[in-house]
Amino acid sequence: MSISSKPTSKPTVFIDGEAGTTGLQIYNRLSQRDDLELVSIDPDKRKDADERARLLNSVDLAILCLPDDAAREAVSWVTHPTVRILDASTAHRTAEDWAYGFAELVEGGKEAIAQSTRVSNPGCYPTGFLACIRPLVSAGLIPSHAPLTINAVSGYTGGGRKLIEAYEATHSAANNGKGSQLPYAPYGLAFGHKHVKEMHKYSQLDHAPLFVPSVGDFAQGMLVQIPLPLWSFASAGTETVTGEALHAALHSYYADKPFVGVAPLNDKASLRNGNFLDIQTVNGTNQVQIFVFANDEAQEALLVARLDNLGKGASGAAVQNMNLMLGLSEHAGLTETAVY
């Protein structure tokens, strides 16, 4: 659904759930701006459905930073036809009548976001995975039937409120001598992670990827790694894809995208001490950086996306999408751009 009207005065924005992790990050970014009016709810009325519904229907754009069920309920309360909704939850990320808020992912993505009244903000892990994979599947360099695996690590804020609470409880117990520290740990080991449907739909893959998330002993930062056994992609009579071909396709795809950068092929300059890829380099920015490491002789490659799980993976992307939806400068409140 879309509307063509643009705000004629300073637009109004309400964050439903501004006290949560993502909501607070968005609030902090928007509260410094003078090109919009930020509407807040009385703290005593945060659970007052009538007051929330009133505010949702009184603004130009509402940003939902809520659990999935609460986000669906909030959307049902919006009756004013011109109110635009940006949902930061998982609730509408694969819904057909919602625009997917990854402006750089497909041709015309920015325009679709700008014209839509309903936009779903992408997840942090899917942002990294899709940034790497979608261009290569579209180009035919990765076959759509490829069985892909995602090995990803995030700061402990990347798994939402429940994971944050569980991690901090573990840390607290360790500090009180009731257990050991947890410097690194895979999670979601029952599989069926809620991000997988989103990854599958927008990647154009025939099968959902195998997703193995993990948490590290730091608050923010994310590396999404996709190993590629290039020898398995070649069919009879075709040549094996090279690292240079993968890199060239990604570099071309994002050449004019200010918030996505592609590092040089096998970029040793980005490795600390020539060996280690720092996970926190782009924290506080709206960047996603893509790396291609390849060994053509071994016919192996590794794609890596580095981003701030609370930046381009959450609040930064939300601000970017909000800017597009309200007809403001896409860069407003997002001064950082990709360095490659």
Side-chain angles (χ1 to χ4, degrees):
M1 60 184 71
S2 63
I3 55 177
S4 58
S5 61
K6 293 185 177 180
T8 56
S9 59
K10 188 180 292 189
T12 52
V13 177
F14 170 54
I15 305 170
D16 194 3
E18 71 178 36
T21 304
T22 299
L24 184 59
Q25 290 264 333
I26 296 172
Y27 178 86
N28 289 339
R29 288 173 181 265
L30 299 187
S31 62
Q32 308 300 315
R33 292 174 54 171
D34 59 6
D35 58 343
L36 52 82
E37 180 183 346
L38 196 54
V39 176
S40 289
I41 192 169
D42 185 320
D44 293 335
K45 295 185 177 181
R46 283 176 180 160
K47 295 185 179 181
D48 185 327
D50 290 338
E51 178 63 5
R52 287 173 54 210
R54 184 187 71 81
L55 292 175
L56 286 166
N57 283 283
S58 71
V59 295
D60 294 301
L61 184 141
I63 304 176
L64 309 182
C65 299
L66 304 165
D68 288 2
D69 288 343
R72 294 186 187 95
E73 183 178 43
V75 171
S76 73
W77 294 341
V78 177
T79 56
H80 199 291
T82 64
V83 174
R84 297 174 183 262
I85 302 175
L86 174 59
D87 185 6
S89 80
T90 313
H92 298 97
R93 287 183 186 158
T94 58
E96 293 299 328
D97 54 346
W98 286 65
Y100 189 57
F102 192 165
E104 300 86 356
L105 188 61
V106 297
E107 187 70 29
K110 183 185 299 188
E111 291 75 16
I113 293 167
Q115 295 170 9
S116 182
T117 62
R118 302 289 184 268
V119 176
S120 183
N121 213 51
C124 50
Y125 287 117
T127 295
F129 172 71
L130 293 169
C132 291
I133 294 300
R134 175 64 181 260
L136 301 179
V137 175
S138 296
L141 294 173
I142 294 178
S144 63
H145 64 264
L148 297 185
T149 299
I150 307 164
N151 302 308
V153 59
S154 170
Y156 63 83
T157 57
R161 177 179 58 83
K162 291 184 178 179
L163 182 65
I164 293 172
E165 292 175 353
Y167 183 86
E168 291 181 342
T170 301
H171 233 282
S172 178
N175 291 336
N176 291 324
K178 297 180 180 179
S180 60
Q181 295 287 353
L182 190 66
Y184 176 89
Y187 69 96
L189 300 178
F191 300 102
H193 193 286
K194 64 181 183 178
H195 283 332
V196 172
K197 290 182 179 179
E198 179 183 351
M199 294 170 169
H200 187 195
K201 177 175 180 177
Y202 298 108
S203 66
Q204 296 187 320
L205 290 169
D206 296 342
H207 305 284
L210 176 59
F211 177 43
V212 185
S214 56
V215 63
D217 191 21
F218 48 91
Q220 289 175 242
M222 174 172 284
L223 292 179
V224 180
Q225 305 163 83
I226 307 106
L228 300 178
L230 299 178
W231 54 266
S232 70
F233 297 165
S235 58
T238 63
E239 295 182 359
T240 302
V241 174
T242 65
E244 184 176 353
L246 296 172
H247 180 267
L250 288 165
H251 189 270
S252 175
Y253 198 89
Y254 293 116
D256 60 346
K257 307 298 192 297
F259 294 114
V260 182
V262 180
L265 179 63
N266 293 320
D267 183 28
K268 293 187 181 297
S270 293
L271 304 181
R272 182 177 293 185
N273 297 326
N275 293 290
F276 307 105
L277 189 60
D278 191 338
I279 197 171
Q280 297 181 301
T281 300
V282 294
N283 279 7
T285 78
N286 194 48
Q287 297 182 31
V288 55
Q289 296 178 339
I290 299 173
F291 299 85
V292 180
F293 299 100
N295 183 320
D296 289 342
E297 184 177 350
Q299 297 182 7
E300 296 173 341
L302 176 68
L303 306 177
V304 184
R306 177 167 63 187
L307 63 156
D308 181 350
N309 56 283
L310 295 182
K312 183 63 171 173
S315 63
V319 171
Q320 183 183 356
N321 287 324
M322 181 209 71
N323 289 339
L324 292 170
M325 295 173 75
L326 291 176
L328 305 173
S329 167
E330 183 182 7
H331 296 263
L334 301 169
T335 57
E336 311 88 351
T337 56
V339 298
Y340 297 111

